[in-house]
């Protein structure tokens, strides 16, 4: 036996009207711009922006520092030179928003409400090296978590 399922059209003899319900769903979307890198010799400010914010009224898109991945040694952020070698050196950095030090915290560093691309946190994340070390280039990574609520 062979069965076939095919879309069918219902016909009504003598009908003078008909209707079709059409649906289309637009999902919330957003584009958050986080710099891939910054050079602290040029600026201490990491600016987070949004170029698209297609969300509903009442929706909030937030960017947080991911503390579990970013901090170590009691909540500090470090830049390393020659990490993992006998010549390893590190420099501690303070992470700040305005006058608040946010070291060790899953701190909200950007917030976009109600479909707006304006960052309501206002101030950029400031990364300030504390002290120095042997000459060379030091690097570290700040990790972020983006949520919509």
């Amino acid at each position: 036996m062979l069965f076939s399922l095919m879309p069918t059209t219902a016909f009504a003899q003598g009908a003078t009207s008909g209707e079709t319900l059409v649906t289309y769903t637009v999902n919330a979307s957003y584009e958050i711009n986080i710099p891939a890198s910054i050079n602290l010799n040029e600026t201490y400010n990491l600016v987070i922006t949004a170029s698209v914010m297609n969300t509903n009224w009442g929706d909030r898109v937030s960017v947080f520092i991911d503390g579990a991945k970013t901090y170590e040694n009691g909540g500090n952020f470090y830049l390393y030179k020659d990490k993992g070698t006998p010549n390893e050196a590190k420099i501690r950095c303070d992470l700040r928003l305005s006058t608040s030090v946010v070291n060790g915290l899953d701190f909200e560093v950007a917030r976009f409400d109600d479909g707006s691309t304006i960052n309501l946190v206002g101030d950029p994340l400031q990364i300030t090296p504390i002290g120095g070390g042997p000459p060379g280039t030091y690097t570290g990574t700040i990790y972020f978590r983006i949520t919509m609520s």
Side-chain angles (χ1 to χ4, degrees):
M1 242 185 201
L2 178 63
F3 290 96
S4 174
L5 295 176
M6 299 183 64
T8 61
T9 304
F11 292 100
Q13 191 167 4
T16 59
S17 67
E19 63 184 47
T20 299
L21 175 65
V22 178
T23 61
Y24 176 69
T25 302
V26 176
N27 293 317
S29 62
Y30 50 85
E31 290 180 19
I32 303 294
N33 307 302
I34 302 172
S37 65
I38 64 168
N39 182 337
L40 296 181
N41 297 102
E42 297 170 1
T43 183
Y44 290 157
N45 295 330
L46 189 149
V47 179
I48 298 173
T49 62
S51 53
V52 173
M53 195 57 57
N54 185 26
T55 59
N56 291 315
W57 184 262
D59 286 346
R60 169 177 288 172
V61 177
S62 296
V63 180
F64 294 90
I65 294 172
D66 188 336
K69 293 181 179 178
T70 299
Y71 303 116
E72 59 181 90
N73 192 21
N76 293 310
F77 174 68
Y78 292 97
L79 301 177
Y80 284 91
K81 174 182 165 278
D82 300 327
K83 187 172 184 172
T85 72
N87 297 325
E88 179 179 296
K90 64 183 179 181
I91 299 173
R92 185 176 66 85
C93 293
D94 277 344
L95 303 183
R96 297 179 174 274
L97 274 176
S98 187
T99 58
S100 299
V101 176
V102 299
N103 291 6
L105 303 174
D106 284 352
F107 209 83
E108 185 180 49
V109 294
R111 184 179 76 236
F112 306 92
D113 288 349
D114 305 322
S116 173
T117 58
I118 296 170
N119 182 351
L120 297 177
V121 169
D123 294 317
L125 177 64
Q126 298 172 337
I127 306 158
T128 309
I130 306 299
T137 301
Y138 292 73
T139 61
T141 303
I142 300 172
Y143 296 89
F144 298 96
R145 188 172 40 83
I146 301 169
T147 64
M148 188 169 110
S149 57

